[in-house]
Amino acid sequence: MPSGEREAISELTTGRLSVYLRCLTYLESMGQQTVSSHEMAERFHLNSAQIRKDLAFFGEFGTRGVGYNVSTLREHLVHTLGLDRTRKIIIAGAGNLGMALADYKGFNENGFHIVALADNDPAKIGRTSRSGIPVLSYDAMTQAVRVNAVEIGIIAVPSPAAQQTYDAFVDAGICAVLNFAPVQIRLRPGVKLKSVDLRINLESLSFYLKNVEDGTCGG
Amino acid sequence: MPSGEREAISELTTGRLSVYLRCLTYLESMGQQTVSSHEMAERFHLNSAQIRKDLAFFGEFGTRGVGYNVSTLREHLVHTLGLDRTRKIIIAGAGNLGMALADYKGFNENGFHIVALADNDPAKIGRTSRSGIPVLSYDAMTQAVRVNAVEIGIIAVPSPAAQQTYDAFVDAGICAVLNFAPVQIRLRPGVKLKSVDLRINLESLSFYLKNVEDGTCGG
């Protein structure tokens, strides 16, 4: 695929690939061997035309009347998303958020490995998260990024420290940053930044609540 | 708008409305009075046709050659998302994740108010988060939900306790639940559940890294 097309793949698309991967992993764990786009759409509340379009873009077409082979398609998505090798992660900020992320299931398995947390609080340096991830100083973090070829940095520091953390990550050679600080980051060329805005989830619930007519539910 | 249409509005759409709201809030803070869909798309890396379609669906059409009035459109989105009144929130689980969420900027302002955390650890009950949110027992939480008319419950407990937390929320009268536990919840009718999967963000970065050709970046 030409790199221009690659770049044109939106984050929404990769997000959908992640969702398909979860569905296929579930179906495989249940022993199911084939699945049609219609069945996948039905079971997981997705759009069957969108599924076919997304998968065809990555060269998967399924067999008419049979559908997709679950294991083959799953492996294909693992490969497409680059999850067939392990990428190392550093988390800057060993407060509640950093500690929660260090122990978050899914951040330290199946393609990802958290090498360390980093903090500038001497009381935190040298301790570990509940699951055993060590807390380093920032100097030691920079070292650890280079020595371990860490690819992903997570910003879990307070907003005023987010920019300098981003810059420290990039200077150490990190190419992809996941940012939890609700602040605008000045970007460096070639470095991918993904900012997580947790409030959007609350706004989606607010929209639902506004449209529940009589204000009661579940009854 | 008929309720069928309302229900058909996907979470992707409400997510985009939230993004537009952020852009407009920024433009308003900079003193800008009007904005076209093209300018919004350009400045915030969005799709102008999608913007026009989404806004037209909610009755906003803009003026040819002028665009949208920033403040009017912003107010319209605040109203559409139900953010023109404050919705109360309870967080179950006062571990690292619950504490991080209790102090997360955006969870306790502009339409949302966190009433309390809840935990079953006697060592945590009676304490507060850094920003002063109190930690209640689960019994006291149920009381607090009823007394304060709490509308949103956040599940920040370990996975094995997620289902019973969901059930306790619904029994207490909560209609909308935000779930951070990576586990399938058996749903009750009429209760909205939104599950947050933070790993999807890492997979999106992995996809980017896989397609960085020579493995270096940032020059």
PDB file of all heavy atoms in Angstrom, chain A residues 18 22 79 81-82 87 104 106 109-110 175 190 197 199 203 206 208 210 217, chain B residues 18 22 79 81-82 87 106 109-110 175 190 197-199 203 206 208 210 217:
ATOM      1  N   SER A  18      -9.323  -2.288  15.988  1.00  0.00           N
ATOM      2  CA  SER A  18      -9.144  -2.774  17.361  1.00  0.00           C
ATOM      3  C   SER A  18     -10.418  -3.444  17.868  1.00  0.00           C
ATOM      4  O   SER A  18     -10.367  -4.477  18.539  1.00  0.00           O
ATOM      5  CB  SER A  18      -8.771  -1.618  18.297  1.00  0.00           C
ATOM      6  OG  SER A  18      -7.467  -1.146  18.018  1.00  0.00           O
ATOM      7  N   ARG A  22     -11.013  -7.427  18.961  1.00  0.00           N
ATOM      8  CA  ARG A  22     -11.604  -7.914  20.222  1.00  0.00           C
ATOM      9  C   ARG A  22     -12.710  -8.927  19.956  1.00  0.00           C
ATOM     10  O   ARG A  22     -12.805  -9.952  20.626  1.00  0.00           O
ATOM     11  CB  ARG A  22     -12.176  -6.747  21.025  1.00  0.00           C
ATOM     12  CG  ARG A  22     -11.137  -6.098  21.913  1.00  0.00           C
ATOM     13  CD  ARG A  22     -11.439  -4.671  22.227  1.00  0.00           C
ATOM     14  NE  ARG A  22     -10.275  -4.000  22.750  1.00  0.00           N
ATOM     15  CZ  ARG A  22      -9.126  -3.838  22.105  1.00  0.00           C
ATOM     16  NH1 ARG A  22      -8.971  -4.344  20.876  1.00  0.00           N
ATOM     17  NH2 ARG A  22      -8.120  -3.211  22.659  1.00  0.00           N
ATOM     18  N   HIS A  79      -1.351  -8.462  12.921  1.00  0.00           N
ATOM     19  CA  HIS A  79      -0.223  -8.032  12.102  1.00  0.00           C
ATOM     20  C   HIS A  79      -0.411  -6.586  11.616  1.00  0.00           C
ATOM     21  O   HIS A  79       0.506  -5.761  11.692  1.00  0.00           O
ATOM     22  CB  HIS A  79      -0.071  -8.989  10.922  1.00  0.00           C
ATOM     23  CG  HIS A  79       1.034  -8.605   9.986  1.00  0.00           C
ATOM     24  ND1 HIS A  79       2.362  -8.775  10.302  1.00  0.00           N
ATOM     25  CD2 HIS A  79       1.001  -8.032   8.758  1.00  0.00           C
ATOM     26  CE1 HIS A  79       3.107  -8.316   9.304  1.00  0.00           C
ATOM     27  NE2 HIS A  79       2.312  -7.862   8.356  1.00  0.00           N
ATOM     28  N   LEU A  81      -2.127  -4.183  12.884  1.00  0.00           N
ATOM     29  CA  LEU A  81      -2.005  -3.216  13.976  1.00  0.00           C
ATOM     30  C   LEU A  81      -0.605  -3.221  14.591  1.00  0.00           C
ATOM     31  O   LEU A  81      -0.327  -2.462  15.524  1.00  0.00           O
ATOM     32  CB  LEU A  81      -3.056  -3.498  15.059  1.00  0.00           C
ATOM     33  CG  LEU A  81      -4.499  -3.127  14.683  1.00  0.00           C
ATOM     34  CD1 LEU A  81      -5.499  -3.748  15.652  1.00  0.00           C
ATOM     35  CD2 LEU A  81      -4.677  -1.609  14.650  1.00  0.00           C
ATOM     36  N   GLY A  82       0.280  -4.083  14.063  1.00  0.00           N
ATOM     37  CA  GLY A  82       1.651  -4.098  14.578  1.00  0.00           C
ATOM     38  C   GLY A  82       1.753  -4.691  15.968  1.00  0.00           C
ATOM     39  O   GLY A  82       2.660  -4.355  16.736  1.00  0.00           O
ATOM     40  N   ARG A  87       5.979  -3.858  21.994  1.00  0.00           N
ATOM     41  CA  ARG A  87       6.464  -2.477  22.043  1.00  0.00           C
ATOM     42  C   ARG A  87       6.587  -2.050  23.505  1.00  0.00           C
ATOM     43  O   ARG A  87       5.687  -2.292  24.297  1.00  0.00           O
ATOM     44  CB  ARG A  87       5.494  -1.554  21.314  1.00  0.00           C
ATOM     45  CG  ARG A  87       5.437  -1.893  19.831  1.00  0.00           C
ATOM     46  CD  ARG A  87       4.525  -1.018  19.027  1.00  0.00           C
ATOM     47  NE  ARG A  87       4.276  -1.657  17.745  1.00  0.00           N
ATOM     48  CZ  ARG A  87       5.130  -1.642  16.721  1.00  0.00           C
ATOM     49  NH1 ARG A  87       6.275  -1.001  16.829  1.00  0.00           N
ATOM     50  NH2 ARG A  87       4.850  -2.264  15.593  1.00  0.00           N
ATOM     51  N   TYR A 104      -2.986  -1.256  34.667  1.00  0.00           N
ATOM     52  CA  TYR A 104      -4.187  -1.442  33.836  1.00  0.00           C
ATOM     53  C   TYR A 104      -4.006  -2.666  32.944  1.00  0.00           C
ATOM     54  O   TYR A 104      -3.034  -2.762  32.187  1.00  0.00           O
ATOM     55  CB  TYR A 104      -4.399  -0.192  32.988  1.00  0.00           C
ATOM     56  CG  TYR A 104      -5.654  -0.175  32.138  1.00  0.00           C
ATOM     57  CD1 TYR A 104      -6.892   0.103  32.704  1.00  0.00           C
ATOM     58  CD2 TYR A 104      -5.597  -0.429  30.771  1.00  0.00           C
ATOM     59  CE1 TYR A 104      -8.038   0.139  31.925  1.00  0.00           C
ATOM     60  CE2 TYR A 104      -6.743  -0.396  29.984  1.00  0.00           C
ATOM     61  CZ  TYR A 104      -7.962  -0.116  30.569  1.00  0.00           C
ATOM     62  OH  TYR A 104      -9.095  -0.083  29.787  1.00  0.00           O
ATOM     63  N   GLY A 106      -4.142  -4.902  29.930  1.00  0.00           N
ATOM     64  CA  GLY A 106      -4.161  -4.523  28.526  1.00  0.00           C
ATOM     65  C   GLY A 106      -3.009  -3.599  28.164  1.00  0.00           C
ATOM     66  O   GLY A 106      -2.633  -3.502  27.000  1.00  0.00           O
ATOM     67  N   GLU A 109       0.457  -6.437  28.165  1.00  0.00           N
ATOM     68  CA  GLU A 109       0.269  -7.794  27.638  1.00  0.00           C
ATOM     69  C   GLU A 109       0.010  -7.703  26.142  1.00  0.00           C
ATOM     70  O   GLU A 109      -0.268  -6.611  25.629  1.00  0.00           O
ATOM     71  CB  GLU A 109      -0.912  -8.477  28.343  1.00  0.00           C
ATOM     72  CG  GLU A 109      -2.232  -7.748  28.143  1.00  0.00           C
ATOM     73  CD  GLU A 109      -3.429  -8.429  28.807  1.00  0.00           C
ATOM     74  OE1 GLU A 109      -3.220  -9.158  29.789  1.00  0.00           O
ATOM     75  OE2 GLU A 109      -4.541  -8.224  28.326  1.00  0.00           O
ATOM     76  N   ASN A 110       0.119  -8.842  25.444  1.00  0.00           N
ATOM     77  CA  ASN A 110      -0.252  -8.926  24.024  1.00  0.00           C
ATOM     78  C   ASN A 110       0.242  -7.767  23.173  1.00  0.00           C
ATOM     79  O   ASN A 110      -0.529  -7.074  22.525  1.00  0.00           O
ATOM     80  CB  ASN A 110      -1.774  -9.016  23.890  1.00  0.00           C
ATOM     81  CG  ASN A 110      -2.330 -10.274  24.517  1.00  0.00           C
ATOM     82  OD1 ASN A 110      -1.679 -11.314  24.505  1.00  0.00           O
ATOM     83  ND2 ASN A 110      -3.509 -10.182  25.096  1.00  0.00           N
ATOM     84  N   CYS A 175       8.945   7.845  19.691  1.00  0.00           N
ATOM     85  CA  CYS A 175       8.252   8.286  18.473  1.00  0.00           C
ATOM     86  C   CYS A 175       6.742   8.365  18.620  1.00  0.00           C
ATOM     87  O   CYS A 175       6.051   8.834  17.715  1.00  0.00           O
ATOM     88  CB  CYS A 175       8.534   7.326  17.316  1.00  0.00           C
ATOM     89  SG  CYS A 175      10.261   7.277  16.838  1.00  0.00           S
ATOM     90  N   GLY A 190       7.094  14.311  12.991  1.00  0.00           N
ATOM     91  CA  GLY A 190       7.391  12.880  12.938  1.00  0.00           C
ATOM     92  C   GLY A 190       7.059  12.129  14.205  1.00  0.00           C
ATOM     93  O   GLY A 190       7.201  10.902  14.257  1.00  0.00           O
ATOM     94  N   ASP A 197      -9.133  12.092  25.956  1.00  0.00           N
ATOM     95  CA  ASP A 197     -10.044  13.025  26.618  1.00  0.00           C
ATOM     96  C   ASP A 197     -11.160  12.206  27.255  1.00  0.00           C
ATOM     97  O   ASP A 197     -12.114  11.825  26.592  1.00  0.00           O
ATOM     98  CB  ASP A 197     -10.599  14.007  25.587  1.00  0.00           C
ATOM     99  CG  ASP A 197     -11.529  15.029  26.224  1.00  0.00           C
ATOM    100  OD1 ASP A 197     -11.928  14.837  27.387  1.00  0.00           O
ATOM    101  OD2 ASP A 197     -11.857  16.015  25.547  1.00  0.00           O
ATOM    102  N   ARG A 199     -13.378  13.055  29.348  1.00  0.00           N
ATOM    103  CA  ARG A 199     -14.646  13.768  29.546  1.00  0.00           C
ATOM    104  C   ARG A 199     -15.652  13.482  28.431  1.00  0.00           C
ATOM    105  O   ARG A 199     -16.869  13.530  28.646  1.00  0.00           O
ATOM    106  CB  ARG A 199     -14.369  15.274  29.641  1.00  0.00           C
ATOM    107  CG  ARG A 199     -15.605  16.098  29.916  1.00  0.00           C
ATOM    108  CD  ARG A 199     -15.307  17.588  29.971  1.00  0.00           C
ATOM    109  NE  ARG A 199     -16.497  18.331  29.652  1.00  0.00           N
ATOM    110  CZ  ARG A 199     -17.308  18.894  30.554  1.00  0.00           C
ATOM    111  NH1 ARG A 199     -17.027  18.813  31.815  1.00  0.00           N
ATOM    112  NH2 ARG A 199     -18.394  19.533  30.181  1.00  0.00           N
ATOM    113  N   GLU A 203     -19.819  13.175  28.455  1.00  0.00           N
ATOM    114  CA  GLU A 203     -20.731  13.977  27.637  1.00  0.00           C
ATOM    115  C   GLU A 203     -21.674  13.072  26.847  1.00  0.00           C
ATOM    116  O   GLU A 203     -22.835  13.412  26.633  1.00  0.00           O
ATOM    117  CB  GLU A 203     -19.932  14.916  26.721  1.00  0.00           C
ATOM    118  CG  GLU A 203     -19.180  15.970  27.542  1.00  0.00           C
ATOM    119  CD  GLU A 203     -18.508  17.052  26.711  1.00  0.00           C
ATOM    120  OE1 GLU A 203     -18.550  17.000  25.474  1.00  0.00           O
ATOM    121  OE2 GLU A 203     -17.932  17.975  27.334  1.00  0.00           O
ATOM    122  N   SER A 206     -24.294  12.126  29.222  1.00  0.00           N
ATOM    123  CA  SER A 206     -25.167  13.275  29.443  1.00  0.00           C
ATOM    124  C   SER A 206     -26.194  13.394  28.316  1.00  0.00           C
ATOM    125  O   SER A 206     -27.383  13.632  28.559  1.00  0.00           O
ATOM    126  CB  SER A 206     -24.327  14.557  29.527  1.00  0.00           C
ATOM    127  OG  SER A 206     -25.152  15.693  29.567  1.00  0.00           O
ATOM    128  N   TYR A 208     -27.332  10.990  26.509  1.00  0.00           N
ATOM    129  CA  TYR A 208     -28.325   9.923  26.718  1.00  0.00           C
ATOM    130  C   TYR A 208     -29.331  10.338  27.797  1.00  0.00           C
ATOM    131  O   TYR A 208     -30.542  10.227  27.613  1.00  0.00           O
ATOM    132  CB  TYR A 208     -27.624   8.624  27.132  1.00  0.00           C
ATOM    133  CG  TYR A 208     -28.580   7.568  27.624  1.00  0.00           C
ATOM    134  CD1 TYR A 208     -29.299   6.776  26.734  1.00  0.00           C
ATOM    135  CD2 TYR A 208     -28.791   7.383  28.994  1.00  0.00           C
ATOM    136  CE1 TYR A 208     -30.200   5.824  27.190  1.00  0.00           C
ATOM    137  CE2 TYR A 208     -29.688   6.435  29.458  1.00  0.00           C
ATOM    138  CZ  TYR A 208     -30.392   5.663  28.551  1.00  0.00           C
ATOM    139  OH  TYR A 208     -31.289   4.729  29.005  1.00  0.00           O
ATOM    140  N   LYS A 210     -30.192  13.251  28.873  1.00  0.00           N
ATOM    141  CA  LYS A 210     -31.047  14.343  28.437  1.00  0.00           C
ATOM    142  C   LYS A 210     -32.234  13.813  27.637  1.00  0.00           C
ATOM    143  O   LYS A 210     -33.309  14.399  27.642  1.00  0.00           O
ATOM    144  CB  LYS A 210     -30.245  15.314  27.577  1.00  0.00           C
ATOM    145  CG  LYS A 210     -31.028  16.518  27.109  1.00  0.00           C
ATOM    146  CD  LYS A 210     -30.200  17.360  26.157  1.00  0.00           C
ATOM    147  CE  LYS A 210     -31.100  18.289  25.366  1.00  0.00           C
ATOM    148  NZ  LYS A 210     -31.774  19.274  26.212  1.00  0.00           N
ATOM    149  N   CYS A 217     -35.396   5.195  34.852  1.00  0.00           N
ATOM    150  CA  CYS A 217     -34.910   4.129  33.991  1.00  0.00           C
ATOM    151  C   CYS A 217     -34.917   2.825  34.757  1.00  0.00           C
ATOM    152  O   CYS A 217     -35.182   2.792  35.944  1.00  0.00           O
ATOM    153  CB  CYS A 217     -33.490   4.413  33.522  1.00  0.00           C
ATOM    154  SG  CYS A 217     -32.284   4.373  34.860  1.00  0.00           S
TER     155      CYS A 217
ATOM    156  N   SER B  18     -18.898  16.623  20.859  1.00  0.00           N
ATOM    157  CA  SER B  18     -18.007  17.018  21.954  1.00  0.00           C
ATOM    158  C   SER B  18     -16.745  17.684  21.414  1.00  0.00           C
ATOM    159  O   SER B  18     -16.254  18.663  21.980  1.00  0.00           O
ATOM    160  CB  SER B  18     -17.617  15.800  22.795  1.00  0.00           C
ATOM    161  OG  SER B  18     -18.720  15.310  23.527  1.00  0.00           O
ATOM    162  N   ARG B  22     -15.429  21.590  21.986  1.00  0.00           N
ATOM    163  CA  ARG B  22     -14.097  22.004  22.439  1.00  0.00           C
ATOM    164  C   ARG B  22     -13.499  23.071  21.513  1.00  0.00           C
ATOM    165  O   ARG B  22     -12.921  24.055  21.960  1.00  0.00           O
ATOM    166  CB  ARG B  22     -13.152  20.807  22.495  1.00  0.00           C
ATOM    167  CG  ARG B  22     -13.245  20.075  23.824  1.00  0.00           C
ATOM    168  CD  ARG B  22     -12.877  18.627  23.708  1.00  0.00           C
ATOM    169  NE  ARG B  22     -13.302  17.869  24.855  1.00  0.00           N
ATOM    170  CZ  ARG B  22     -14.566  17.736  25.244  1.00  0.00           C
ATOM    171  NH1 ARG B  22     -15.529  18.355  24.606  1.00  0.00           N
ATOM    172  NH2 ARG B  22     -14.861  17.017  26.306  1.00  0.00           N
ATOM    173  N   HIS B  79     -26.419  22.751  24.966  1.00  0.00           N
ATOM    174  CA  HIS B  79     -27.802  22.346  25.220  1.00  0.00           C
ATOM    175  C   HIS B  79     -28.067  20.940  24.656  1.00  0.00           C
ATOM    176  O   HIS B  79     -28.655  20.089  25.328  1.00  0.00           O
ATOM    177  CB  HIS B  79     -28.746  23.376  24.583  1.00  0.00           C
ATOM    178  CG  HIS B  79     -30.187  23.026  24.736  1.00  0.00           C
ATOM    179  ND1 HIS B  79     -30.847  23.134  25.936  1.00  0.00           N
ATOM    180  CD2 HIS B  79     -31.096  22.518  23.853  1.00  0.00           C
ATOM    181  CE1 HIS B  79     -32.099  22.728  25.784  1.00  0.00           C
ATOM    182  NE2 HIS B  79     -32.271  22.348  24.527  1.00  0.00           N
ATOM    183  N   LEU B  81     -26.042  18.502  24.123  1.00  0.00           N
ATOM    184  CA  LEU B  81     -25.353  17.459  24.898  1.00  0.00           C
ATOM    185  C   LEU B  81     -25.861  17.385  26.342  1.00  0.00           C
ATOM    186  O   LEU B  81     -25.393  16.549  27.121  1.00  0.00           O
ATOM    187  CB  LEU B  81     -23.837  17.705  24.877  1.00  0.00           C
ATOM    188  CG  LEU B  81     -23.136  17.385  23.549  1.00  0.00           C
ATOM    189  CD1 LEU B  81     -21.736  17.977  23.509  1.00  0.00           C
ATOM    190  CD2 LEU B  81     -23.071  15.866  23.315  1.00  0.00           C
ATOM    191  N   GLY B  82     -26.816  18.244  26.680  1.00  0.00           N
ATOM    192  CA  GLY B  82     -27.378  18.194  28.032  1.00  0.00           C
ATOM    193  C   GLY B  82     -26.424  18.705  29.091  1.00  0.00           C
ATOM    194  O   GLY B  82     -26.493  18.299  30.246  1.00  0.00           O
ATOM    195  N   ARG B  87     -24.941  17.374  36.241  1.00  0.00           N
ATOM    196  CA  ARG B  87     -25.267  15.975  36.541  1.00  0.00           C
ATOM    197  C   ARG B  87     -24.299  15.463  37.604  1.00  0.00           C
ATOM    198  O   ARG B  87     -23.095  15.670  37.497  1.00  0.00           O
ATOM    199  CB  ARG B  87     -25.176  15.125  35.279  1.00  0.00           C
ATOM    200  CG  ARG B  87     -26.190  15.561  34.255  1.00  0.00           C
ATOM    201  CD  ARG B  87     -26.202  14.737  32.999  1.00  0.00           C
ATOM    202  NE  ARG B  87     -26.936  15.473  31.968  1.00  0.00           N
ATOM    203  CZ  ARG B  87     -28.264  15.497  31.878  1.00  0.00           C
ATOM    204  NH1 ARG B  87     -29.006  14.829  32.723  1.00  0.00           N
ATOM    205  NH2 ARG B  87     -28.856  16.208  30.928  1.00  0.00           N
ATOM    206  N   GLY B 106     -12.210  18.169  34.306  1.00  0.00           N
ATOM    207  CA  GLY B 106     -13.242  17.884  33.319  1.00  0.00           C
ATOM    208  C   GLY B 106     -14.320  16.964  33.856  1.00  0.00           C
ATOM    209  O   GLY B 106     -15.424  16.928  33.331  1.00  0.00           O
ATOM    210  N   GLU B 109     -16.590  19.698  36.577  1.00  0.00           N
ATOM    211  CA  GLU B 109     -16.815  21.089  36.166  1.00  0.00           C
ATOM    212  C   GLU B 109     -17.728  21.107  34.950  1.00  0.00           C
ATOM    213  O   GLU B 109     -17.941  20.056  34.323  1.00  0.00           O
ATOM    214  CB  GLU B 109     -15.466  21.760  35.821  1.00  0.00           C
ATOM    215  CG  GLU B 109     -14.734  21.079  34.668  1.00  0.00           C
ATOM    216  CD  GLU B 109     -13.416  21.746  34.290  1.00  0.00           C
ATOM    217  OE1 GLU B 109     -12.801  22.393  35.146  1.00  0.00           O
ATOM    218  OE2 GLU B 109     -13.023  21.598  33.118  1.00  0.00           O
ATOM    219  N   ASN B 110     -18.270  22.288  34.626  1.00  0.00           N
ATOM    220  CA  ASN B 110     -19.061  22.485  33.398  1.00  0.00           C
ATOM    221  C   ASN B 110     -20.059  21.369  33.114  1.00  0.00           C
ATOM    222  O   ASN B 110     -20.013  20.738  32.063  1.00  0.00           O
ATOM    223  CB  ASN B 110     -18.119  22.622  32.190  1.00  0.00           C
ATOM    224  CG  ASN B 110     -17.238  23.836  32.287  1.00  0.00           C
ATOM    225  OD1 ASN B 110     -17.644  24.852  32.834  1.00  0.00           O
ATOM    226  ND2 ASN B 110     -16.022  23.734  31.778  1.00  0.00           N
ATOM    227  N   CYS B 175     -28.968   5.758  36.114  1.00  0.00           N
ATOM    228  CA  CYS B 175     -29.399   5.426  34.750  1.00  0.00           C
ATOM    229  C   CYS B 175     -28.263   5.375  33.740  1.00  0.00           C
ATOM    230  O   CYS B 175     -28.473   4.986  32.591  1.00  0.00           O
ATOM    231  CB  CYS B 175     -30.404   6.447  34.250  1.00  0.00           C
ATOM    232  SG  CYS B 175     -31.925   6.470  35.187  1.00  0.00           S
ATOM    233  N   GLY B 190     -32.804  -0.224  29.796  1.00  0.00           N
ATOM    234  CA  GLY B 190     -32.993   1.203  30.054  1.00  0.00           C
ATOM    235  C   GLY B 190     -31.823   1.888  30.724  1.00  0.00           C
ATOM    236  O   GLY B 190     -31.849   3.091  30.933  1.00  0.00           O
ATOM    237  N   ASP B 197     -12.178   1.624  26.880  1.00  0.00           N
ATOM    238  CA  ASP B 197     -11.100   0.676  26.601  1.00  0.00           C
ATOM    239  C   ASP B 197      -9.852   1.490  26.274  1.00  0.00           C
ATOM    240  O   ASP B 197      -9.662   1.931  25.148  1.00  0.00           O
ATOM    241  CB  ASP B 197     -11.497  -0.217  25.430  1.00  0.00           C
ATOM    242  CG  ASP B 197     -10.430  -1.257  25.120  1.00  0.00           C
ATOM    243  OD1 ASP B 197      -9.288  -1.117  25.616  1.00  0.00           O
ATOM    244  OD2 ASP B 197     -10.734  -2.194  24.375  1.00  0.00           O
ATOM    245  N   LEU B 198      -8.992   1.683  27.276  1.00  0.00           N
ATOM    246  CA  LEU B 198      -7.823   2.543  27.073  1.00  0.00           C
ATOM    247  C   LEU B 198      -6.801   1.909  26.143  1.00  0.00           C
ATOM    248  O   LEU B 198      -6.009   2.601  25.518  1.00  0.00           O
ATOM    249  CB  LEU B 198      -7.183   2.878  28.426  1.00  0.00           C
ATOM    250  CG  LEU B 198      -8.047   3.733  29.356  1.00  0.00           C
ATOM    251  CD1 LEU B 198      -7.413   3.842  30.736  1.00  0.00           C
ATOM    252  CD2 LEU B 198      -8.235   5.135  28.768  1.00  0.00           C
ATOM    253  N   ARG B 199      -6.808   0.578  26.025  1.00  0.00           N
ATOM    254  CA  ARG B 199      -5.828  -0.111  25.199  1.00  0.00           C
ATOM    255  C   ARG B 199      -5.938   0.272  23.716  1.00  0.00           C
ATOM    256  O   ARG B 199      -4.949   0.244  22.979  1.00  0.00           O
ATOM    257  CB  ARG B 199      -5.990  -1.627  25.360  1.00  0.00           C
ATOM    258  CG  ARG B 199      -4.970  -2.436  24.587  1.00  0.00           C
ATOM    259  CD  ARG B 199      -5.193  -3.941  24.735  1.00  0.00           C
ATOM    260  NE  ARG B 199      -4.617  -4.644  23.603  1.00  0.00           N
ATOM    261  CZ  ARG B 199      -3.424  -5.236  23.617  1.00  0.00           C
ATOM    262  NH1 ARG B 199      -2.699  -5.236  24.696  1.00  0.00           N
ATOM    263  NH2 ARG B 199      -2.961  -5.837  22.540  1.00  0.00           N
ATOM    264  N   GLU B 203      -3.068   0.676  20.720  1.00  0.00           N
ATOM    265  CA  GLU B 203      -3.068  -0.046  19.435  1.00  0.00           C
ATOM    266  C   GLU B 203      -2.975   0.938  18.275  1.00  0.00           C
ATOM    267  O   GLU B 203      -2.346   0.649  17.259  1.00  0.00           O
ATOM    268  CB  GLU B 203      -4.302  -0.942  19.340  1.00  0.00           C
ATOM    269  CG  GLU B 203      -4.257  -2.069  20.373  1.00  0.00           C
ATOM    270  CD  GLU B 203      -5.360  -3.114  20.219  1.00  0.00           C
ATOM    271  OE1 GLU B 203      -6.221  -2.976  19.343  1.00  0.00           O
ATOM    272  OE2 GLU B 203      -5.338  -4.079  21.014  1.00  0.00           O
ATOM    273  N   SER B 206       0.561   1.811  18.035  1.00  0.00           N
ATOM    274  CA  SER B 206       1.293   0.671  17.476  1.00  0.00           C
ATOM    275  C   SER B 206       1.175   0.656  15.954  1.00  0.00           C
ATOM    276  O   SER B 206       2.154   0.437  15.230  1.00  0.00           O
ATOM    277  CB  SER B 206       0.737  -0.635  18.063  1.00  0.00           C
ATOM    278  OG  SER B 206       1.289  -1.750  17.411  1.00  0.00           O
ATOM    279  N   TYR B 208       0.693   3.199  14.035  1.00  0.00           N
ATOM    280  CA  TYR B 208       1.558   4.270  13.532  1.00  0.00           C
ATOM    281  C   TYR B 208       3.017   3.819  13.500  1.00  0.00           C
ATOM    282  O   TYR B 208       3.718   3.974  12.499  1.00  0.00           O
ATOM    283  CB  TYR B 208       1.414   5.517  14.397  1.00  0.00           C
ATOM    284  CG  TYR B 208       2.452   6.581  14.105  1.00  0.00           C
ATOM    285  CD1 TYR B 208       2.317   7.427  13.011  1.00  0.00           C
ATOM    286  CD2 TYR B 208       3.592   6.689  14.891  1.00  0.00           C
ATOM    287  CE1 TYR B 208       3.282   8.366  12.723  1.00  0.00           C
ATOM    288  CE2 TYR B 208       4.565   7.635  14.608  1.00  0.00           C
ATOM    289  CZ  TYR B 208       4.402   8.472  13.522  1.00  0.00           C
ATOM    290  OH  TYR B 208       5.365   9.396  13.230  1.00  0.00           O
ATOM    291  N   LYS B 210       4.303   0.874  13.431  1.00  0.00           N
ATOM    292  CA  LYS B 210       4.541  -0.173  12.432  1.00  0.00           C
ATOM    293  C   LYS B 210       4.778   0.437  11.053  1.00  0.00           C
ATOM    294  O   LYS B 210       5.504  -0.119  10.234  1.00  0.00           O
ATOM    295  CB  LYS B 210       3.332  -1.110  12.373  1.00  0.00           C
ATOM    296  CG  LYS B 210       3.507  -2.269  11.400  1.00  0.00           C
ATOM    297  CD  LYS B 210       2.235  -3.076  11.305  1.00  0.00           C
ATOM    298  CE  LYS B 210       2.239  -3.926  10.045  1.00  0.00           C
ATOM    299  NZ  LYS B 210       3.298  -4.929  10.029  1.00  0.00           N
ATOM    300  N   CYS B 217      12.449   8.701  14.171  1.00  0.00           N
ATOM    301  CA  CYS B 217      11.508   9.802  14.035  1.00  0.00           C
ATOM    302  C   CYS B 217      12.115  11.070  14.608  1.00  0.00           C
ATOM    303  O   CYS B 217      13.193  11.053  15.172  1.00  0.00           O
ATOM    304  CB  CYS B 217      10.206   9.504  14.764  1.00  0.00           C
ATOM    305  SG  CYS B 217      10.404   9.436  16.547  1.00  0.00           S
TER     306      CYS B 217
END
